Amino acid sequence: MGLLIFFLVAVKIDKIVDVRFVEYAPVVDGVIEEVWQIADSAYNFSQVTPYEKEQPNEKTVVYALQDKENLYIAFRCYADSLKPICRLSGNEDDIKIAIDPFGSKTTAYFFVVNASKRFDDGWILDDGRRLDDSWEGIWYHAVKLYDDRYEVEVKIPFKSIRYKEGLNEWGINFARHIACNNETDSWTEISQIEHNMVSKFGKLKGVEPYASGYYFEIYPEGFVRYDNYGEEKGKFNPNGSLNFKWDFTSQMTINATLNPDFAQIESDPFQLNLGRYPTYLDERRPFFLEGKDIFHLSDFGRHVGFFEPLNIFYSRKIGKSADGEMVPILGGLKFTNKSEDWSIGALGAYTDDLTYMEGDTLEVTEPERIFGGIRVKRKILDNSDIGMMLSGNWVNKDTFNYAVGLDGVYRSGFNQFIMQGAFSNSSNKEGWATNCGFFGLIGDFLTIASIEVVQDSFDVSDIGYVPWAGRRKIILSTGPFKTYQKGIFSNLFYGGGFIGIREPEEKEWSKLGYLIYDPNFRNDWGLNFEVRAGPYYEADTNYFYRSISLFVYGNGNNYRLSFGGYFGYSYNYNQEYLAYQASKRFRGSYTLTPRIRVSLSSNIWFEWNPSNKLIAITPNITPRINFRINPDMSLDIFNEFVMESPGTNFRKTELSSNRVGFLFSWRFAPKSWLYIALHDHREQDDYGDFKLESQIAAIKAKYLIYF
């Protein structure tokens, strides 16, 4: 008997909840009524933060049911001592559901419902290492608050998600956030360093979708724009577009768009780039956002600082900005397939020509282009992957650019190892590149390593983002990672490492050593401190590189903060000389009322000359106000100021650019939106006059028709 008890304690027992079938479905109103009494339940949650694997301060019970067409989940969140915070504008109590309906152990849907009835959804990718909130599903929820608890009901139609046919055991996890003490509780036991690993989910047994047919979604869009560019006379531009999505099986989806409105009312924030390589810009356009996880080679998700993947497909190249004007996209088509073992995607887009002025005299024509991408990924060894990707664009037989990439990812618990290789051909100029990296624990030591080799002739400039052709790079870093059950520290990493870089067109290797100190505190504050130094070779210059950086972040009930800065001696590609440079960053937001949140983001760049004289200060300050009218309606107002100061002579500081933006958004039906936007951009010209660059007003309606 004693041996049996020891065995049961020593062996980890999987978390399992059975889904029971009901003929008469529960009403989704936030009240856990009598029909839920037949449901199996999930309980025995454990803390993730602030005290890892400790008992929660409040009890949580989750129930699961299904009928022929829907999966139902209900949460009963007890609140005997920690009363739920209901706040539309900021940090509040919420519940989370994560479902792996493919049995993939790497990919899952997530659904979030807040106490205020706000909600969110998306994908968990790469076994919990990345989140993608671009997916917007059709599902239903309700919340009811009581004196000693709150209850949440969720209905997820089987037709609104993809799943492996015949699989009746899905991966699942439940979580709850308690805002007043910043506590996160999870049904399956996970550590702070692991986050939400899909491979460690519990099991939802007995799932049996009976729904026949899949959603066909049509999105007609109508929009009216008023465009005023500088001295040109303003004009109204009414237009329309059509988008559709068809889940023609439980695993396959087709998306298409015709004459899409991809104009960005709020353009990319200002960045002063003092480095050698162009700034990477995030994708914002809906057609390219949904399913974007498929169309890239593997990376390390949130740990991207040390590893730069071979991005042979970069969707911002499609319909790119040409001297401030957007290249028109006439149409696009995308196919994706997700199953237990395979992820497959194919994408095509066609852009029109565009003639624009570069400067005052040079007329340039951007030709018509056809873009394409194909991605195939296969699961191996439980939750690892191998894959292939092809991307390209074509103008004519003499002007084209394509690339082929291969990658493999080996995952073992928290540890992950990636290998990548790619071949490119840009109008008959051929080249290759390879990259590999490791992130994981070796004993108690968190270890980071990567090796990168990019041939000089490797070129994906028209389809991807690998601007460092000719670079070789080696990184190795290690140090103890510790988790504390008590005290001010939640976890702590400190260590050192080595970076070797041979920049393009250089014969010598740069060699940097660095030290890292990275604590996370129990109160959800933390910092990252790093020092780097060593001999460096770039731009036909050799010098002793040195830099120091410190960034601090903190989260509370009513605020979120991050601030810090960098100071270093390196080559300034903006001024084209060797000198000191620095940057300071601040991001902060504060909840004024349950509906109003104010925020401020600021970057300040400092530039010295070789004589160590401060010659330029460039601040970028953007205050913002967000007013949440209700869970589906919000108003956002911002003003971006970009200033220039000649050194410390602050009396001569000038406003060089100003952008004002206004956006009203209303989700009036599932996946249906009304937008009203205003945008005004003004810049100082060469004569010191502050003139209008662009002025845009737009009304846009997007309505979902589905059956």
Side-chain angles (χ1 to χ4, degrees), residues 130 139 165 212 314 362 593 618:
R130 290 191 303 117
W139 55 286
E165 292 187 15
S212 60
Y314 179 36
L362 182 61
T593 73
T618 308

mmCIF file of all heavy atoms in Angstrom, residues 130 139 165 212 314 362 593 618:
data_model
loop_
_atom_site.group_PDB
_atom_site.id
_atom_site.type_symbol
_atom_site.label_atom_id
_atom_site.label_comp_id
_atom_site.label_asym_id
_atom_site.label_seq_id
_atom_site.Cartn_x
_atom_site.Cartn_y
_atom_site.Cartn_z
ATOM 1 N N ARG A 130 5.019 32.178 -28.678
ATOM 2 C CA ARG A 130 4.534 33.376 -29.363
ATOM 3 C C ARG A 130 3.012 33.422 -29.301
ATOM 4 O O ARG A 130 2.350 32.386 -29.271
ATOM 5 C CB ARG A 130 4.972 33.389 -30.837
ATOM 6 C CG ARG A 130 6.446 33.616 -31.057
ATOM 7 C CD ARG A 130 6.758 33.896 -32.527
ATOM 8 N NE ARG A 130 6.296 32.836 -33.409
ATOM 9 C CZ ARG A 130 5.376 32.991 -34.360
ATOM 10 N NH1 ARG A 130 4.787 34.152 -34.533
ATOM 11 N NH2 ARG A 130 5.021 31.980 -35.133
ATOM 12 N N TRP A 139 -17.666 33.850 -31.705
ATOM 13 C CA TRP A 139 -18.004 33.124 -30.492
ATOM 14 C C TRP A 139 -18.725 34.068 -29.545
ATOM 15 O O TRP A 139 -18.795 35.277 -29.793
ATOM 16 C CB TRP A 139 -16.756 32.510 -29.849
ATOM 17 C CG TRP A 139 -15.644 33.480 -29.544
ATOM 18 C CD1 TRP A 139 -14.794 34.068 -30.434
ATOM 19 C CD2 TRP A 139 -15.264 33.969 -28.253
ATOM 20 N NE1 TRP A 139 -13.906 34.893 -29.784
ATOM 21 C CE2 TRP A 139 -14.164 34.847 -28.444
ATOM 22 C CE3 TRP A 139 -15.716 33.752 -26.956
ATOM 23 C CZ2 TRP A 139 -13.533 35.513 -27.384
ATOM 24 C CZ3 TRP A 139 -15.085 34.405 -25.902
ATOM 25 C CH2 TRP A 139 -14.010 35.268 -26.124
ATOM 26 N N GLU A 165 -10.541 16.317 -37.833
ATOM 27 C CA GLU A 165 -11.719 15.457 -37.851
ATOM 28 C C GLU A 165 -11.395 14.096 -37.238
ATOM 29 O O GLU A 165 -10.353 13.503 -37.494
ATOM 30 C CB GLU A 165 -12.211 15.284 -39.283
ATOM 31 C CG GLU A 165 -12.779 16.554 -39.895
ATOM 32 C CD GLU A 165 -13.416 16.304 -41.242
ATOM 33 O OE1 GLU A 165 -13.671 15.127 -41.557
ATOM 34 O OE2 GLU A 165 -13.657 17.278 -41.971
ATOM 35 N N SER A 212 -22.348 20.299 -39.504
ATOM 36 C CA SER A 212 -22.073 20.016 -40.914
ATOM 37 C C SER A 212 -21.948 21.341 -41.654
ATOM 38 O O SER A 212 -22.711 22.274 -41.420
ATOM 39 C CB SER A 212 -23.193 19.184 -41.528
ATOM 40 O OG SER A 212 -24.421 19.871 -41.434
ATOM 41 N N TYR A 314 8.533 39.026 -46.288
ATOM 42 C CA TYR A 314 8.235 40.194 -45.455
ATOM 43 C C TYR A 314 7.070 40.905 -46.125
ATOM 44 O O TYR A 314 7.227 41.567 -47.142
ATOM 45 C CB TYR A 314 9.478 41.082 -45.382
ATOM 46 C CG TYR A 314 9.361 42.346 -44.589
ATOM 47 C CD1 TYR A 314 8.601 42.425 -43.423
ATOM 48 C CD2 TYR A 314 10.045 43.492 -44.988
ATOM 49 C CE1 TYR A 314 8.529 43.593 -42.689
ATOM 50 C CE2 TYR A 314 9.986 44.670 -44.260
ATOM 51 C CZ TYR A 314 9.228 44.721 -43.117
ATOM 52 O OH TYR A 314 9.156 45.889 -42.381
ATOM 53 N N LEU A 362 12.891 64.215 -60.346
ATOM 54 C CA LEU A 362 13.038 62.835 -60.807
ATOM 55 C C LEU A 362 11.706 62.094 -60.724
ATOM 56 O O LEU A 362 11.128 61.947 -59.647
ATOM 57 C CB LEU A 362 14.098 62.107 -59.973
ATOM 58 C CG LEU A 362 14.384 60.657 -60.378
ATOM 59 C CD1 LEU A 362 14.908 60.594 -61.812
ATOM 60 C CD2 LEU A 362 15.374 60.024 -59.416
ATOM 61 N N THR A 593 -10.133 56.786 -15.079
ATOM 62 C CA THR A 593 -11.455 56.334 -14.659
ATOM 63 C C THR A 593 -11.650 54.932 -15.229
ATOM 64 O O THR A 593 -10.853 54.481 -16.061
ATOM 65 C CB THR A 593 -12.568 57.264 -15.180
ATOM 66 O OG1 THR A 593 -12.727 57.054 -16.590
ATOM 67 C CG2 THR A 593 -12.234 58.735 -14.925
ATOM 68 N N THR A 618 16.976 64.871 -30.541
ATOM 69 C CA THR A 618 15.747 64.681 -31.307
ATOM 70 C C THR A 618 14.707 63.978 -30.443
ATOM 71 O O THR A 618 14.733 62.754 -30.299
ATOM 72 C CB THR A 618 16.012 63.845 -32.571
ATOM 73 O OG1 THR A 618 17.093 64.409 -33.305
ATOM 74 C CG2 THR A 618 14.771 63.787 -33.453
#
